[in-house]
Amino acid sequence: MKSFLTDDQTDHRPEAHQRKFIGIDANVDLPINRPLAQLGPGELFGEMTCRTYQPRSATVQAREPCVMVEMLRVILDMLVGNRQPSELTKATSKVKMPTFKGTSFKAEIEKKYRERSLNNHLRSVPLFASLDDEFLEHLRQRVELVSYNQNQTICKEGDDADAFYLIRSGMVRVSNGLPGGEMVRTYLSRGDYFGEIGLLRSIKRTATCAALDAVDVVKILAADFTLMLERFPAVRQQIEAVAGARFAADQQKAITPGLHLDDFLSQGLFEAQNLLLIDLENCTRCDACVRACAQAHDGVSRLLRDGLRYEHFLVATACRSCRDPLCMTQCPVGSIRRKENLEIIIEDWCIGCGKCAELCPYGNINMHPLEVMKEIKTEIKGKDGAPAQVKIEKKKMTAYKANTCDLCTQLSTPSCVYACPHDAAKRVDPQRFFGDAITAQSELIGATWAPMPARYETHHTH
Amino acid sequence: MAETVEKLTTGEPLTIDQLLEYLPALKEIPRAQLENWAKGAAVLHRYRKGEIVCEEGEFGSTAYYIVSDTAVCGG
């Protein structure tokens, strides 16, 4: 933890030190003495992290003494309008999400946002590592930044190929229309790209790409894409290799894998980064996992041995470390957040309002009652002009604090998994864990399916 | 605005009225919604010259709006 208030001698109130920043990684590639941009009054920054919970893309330093308003996502949503929550979220969330259309400030902020953060994004894409500053600048001025809502089509199979797309955030579903219905090819996420096959081979779109959730893309038009490939052979080589592998996969016989994948999607398992699964074929219902969890967390279990079934697994009621954690969106005090890249933690300053618990679509956050001593001051008016007296009473009261699985990050293995005597409890990345099963099942019927890459990796093997 | 900025110390949560002063566009949002959702959701910060506001790679959940008329740089 690092506080930026350490030498501010004038302010000793505890709340002044509350909003600290997260531990800082040392992998700062861009030196502070090479400024990327200069920001002035009336400008907003940090909004990408605020809306997507992805790490900060740049370091910001005060050049002169300055004053800023630091805001949580709810205020940003009010200012620029919030995204549409997914259908699954709408159906399962107990709290009605307020919808904000945004204010007149929106257009202004969007313009600045697009001008500024694009350069950083383009630089951070491994595929573009060999591009020089001049060409990046050319791209920065020419590309379009487009946002899509859930289920909106980005490009359609059979249409003319006119652009190349780079995903800034969100997930894209790549599918083919077949007589029996839609066959999902793969899912792409941040840092991935699509639309290259049509451009490279001058053919119509070979697949339909649609937004699985709220998606932001960088759209590079055909002319700029061609120019980029001409000037940077390393980029061409990389894109052609990926296009070749994808094209070959497309030529294979395709049959819809069936219900399996539908369940995977409808239960929201693709959203999860880490699931607690209990293999029901091995589980004897001994509840050693629940007891171990309670022992590790002051006697309160953060998991329930109950939940949805998927195949022969029970998806236990424990935090899934969602990619787009809805629970974090409305916390009035900012006490629920990601610690590193996976686990969601609730800090001590939780005020027990319960908004996160209501927002979690999977019921994985519990409000736990605590007994606290509270001082109650009552003023007693003095008789005959005597000064008023203050009576202080201490009273036992119940307060609430939100609890969620912290993945036992201090331990090498989560307590529940460690404690299971039958090897039934596992913590898994569902994309990888079920990806293999789905691929195996699909191969049996001659179809192809590829798991989505992990959050901060990009690889394109089919 | 200058007066209010003078009065507030760093880390102080903003009341709805103070928030409206800094971000007047929020006046377009109904007051009841502001009272319900925006209370305590914004904090005032003062940074000295050279102070780091946020660092590349760190996880966070907030955005920043620059109020004062002095510039900062992203690097």
Side-chain angles (χ1 to χ4, degrees), chain A residues 39-294:
Chain A
L39 309 174
E43 287 205 73
L44 193 73
F45 64 91
E47 63 277 36
M48 188 273 284
T49 292
C50 187
R51 308 191 92 181
T52 64
Y53 305 103
Q54 286 165 2
R56 301 270 182 212
S57 60
T59 299
V60 176
Q61 187 182 32
R63 177 169 279 186
E64 299 294 336
C66 60
V67 179
M68 293 185 201
V69 173
E70 184 185 10
M71 67 188 78
L72 291 170
R73 179 160 154 182
V74 61
I75 293 183
L76 186 67
D77 281 349
M78 284 176 175
L79 277 172
V80 303
N82 50 0
R83 295 169 190 251
Q84 289 297 309
S86 75
E87 294 304 316
L88 177 79
T89 303
K90 277 192 213 157
T92 50
S93 186
K94 279 178 240 156
V95 103
K96 195 178 172 291
M97 297 274 287
T99 316
F100 302 113
K101 287 200 181 75
T103 61
S104 52
F105 200 46
K106 185 180 176 180
E108 210 179 310
I109 286 175
E110 273 190 356
K111 188 169 159 277
K112 285 173 179 167
Y113 170 61
R114 286 166 186 221
E115 276 172 8
R116 205 183 56 238
S117 56
L118 183 59
N119 221 356
N120 288 342
H121 178 71
L122 293 176
R123 274 177 209 281
S124 71
V125 177
L127 175 70
F128 291 165
S130 60
L131 299 186
D132 57 29
D133 285 357
E134 192 198 339
F135 195 78
L136 276 175
E137 182 56 29
H138 171 80
L139 279 184
R140 199 181 70 80
Q141 287 172 10
R142 300 263 307 161
V143 298
E144 288 175 29
L145 287 139
V146 196
S147 301
Y148 297 91
N149 280 329
Q150 192 194 27
N151 285 333
Q152 230 181 320
T153 302
I154 303 169
C155 62
K156 203 163 176 256
E157 190 175 358
D159 281 1
D160 287 328
D162 58 351
F164 171 76
Y165 299 88
L166 193 64
I167 304 173
R168 294 170 63 205
S169 64
M171 265 166 258
V172 172
R173 177 181 56 222
V174 183
S175 61
N176 288 121
L178 293 172
E182 206 184 27
M183 159 74 185
V184 177
R185 289 287 181 189
T186 188
Y187 296 94
L188 303 173
S189 56
R190 185 183 187 232
D192 286 337
Y193 50 85
F194 58 93
E196 76 288 350
I197 294 175
L199 293 178
L200 280 172
R201 298 173 191 230
S202 305
I203 52 174
K204 304 273 187 195
R205 293 286 185 211
T206 57
T208 296
C209 297
L212 199 62
D213 47 12
V215 168
D216 291 323
V217 296
V218 177
K219 187 174 175 182
I220 300 177
L221 299 174
D224 295 314
F225 180 77
T226 312
L227 186 66
M228 177 170 75
L229 297 199
E230 274 169 20
R231 292 189 41 191
F232 302 94
V235 178
R236 172 174 211 113
Q237 213 179 345
Q238 219 175 323
I239 292 181
E240 277 190 341
V242 169
R246 286 180 177 175
F247 194 73
D250 284 355
Q251 299 307 307
Q252 287 183 23
K253 196 179 159 200
I255 296 169
T256 311
L259 241 176
H260 200 109
L261 194 56
D262 292 353
D263 280 353
F264 191 70
L265 293 178
S266 67
Q267 294 187 9
L269 300 184
F270 72 90
E271 267 283 353
Q273 292 194 92
N274 195 308
L275 283 181
L276 175 60
L277 295 181
I278 296 172
D279 187 339
L280 294 173
E281 285 175 359
N282 292 340
C283 175
T284 62
R285 284 70 168 162
C286 69
D287 274 334
C289 50
V290 179
R291 281 196 301 273
C293 182

Side-chain angles (χ1 to χ4, degrees), chain A residues 332-406:
Chain A
V333 294
S335 70
I336 179 163
R337 57 183 181 82
R338 271 198 211 288
K339 199 171 182 186
E340 296 298 332
N341 58 0
L342 200 64
E343 74 273 26
I344 290 164
I345 55 152
I346 298 167
E347 298 282 9
D348 288 346
W349 61 77
C350 167
I351 55 168
C353 71
K355 279 189 176 130
C356 55
E358 285 168 13
L359 285 165
C360 173
Y362 313 108
N364 290 349
I365 298 177
N366 301 312
M367 299 308 297
H368 179 66
L370 291 171
E371 281 216 330
V372 290
M373 296 300 285
K374 205 172 175 183
E375 280 187 4
I376 297 168
K377 288 180 188 172
T378 37
E379 206 171 287
I380 303 162
K381 276 186 185 164
K383 279 175 190 169
D384 306 324
Q389 285 187 332
V390 180
K391 191 179 154 200
I392 299 173
E393 271 182 309
K394 280 198 174 177
K395 212 175 167 186
K396 239 187 215 176
M397 292 184 87
T398 311
Y400 286 86
K401 193 178 176 304
N403 264 333
T404 195
C405 171
D406 58 358

Side-chain angles (χ1 to χ4, degrees), chain A residues 4 7 21-22 36 62 65 104, chain B residues 28 45 48 50-51 59 64 70 74:
Chain A
F4 294 105
D7 52 356
F21 287 73
I22 307 164
L36 290 170
S104 52
Chain B
E28 296 163 38
H45 276 294
R48 288 178 305 280
E51 203 169 353
F59 283 81
Y64 299 85
T70 32

Side-chain angles (χ1 to χ4, degrees), chain A residues 294-306:
Chain A
Q295 275 165 15
H297 302 107
D298 299 324
V300 184
S301 175
R302 297 177 178 193
L303 88 92
L304 264 179
R305 195 180 46 73
D306 195 11

Side-chain angles (χ1 to χ4, degrees), chain A residues 435-451:
Chain A
D436 287 348
I438 294 171
T439 309
Q441 192 204 23
S442 308
E443 275 168 4
L444 281 178
I445 55 168
T448 53
W449 190 90

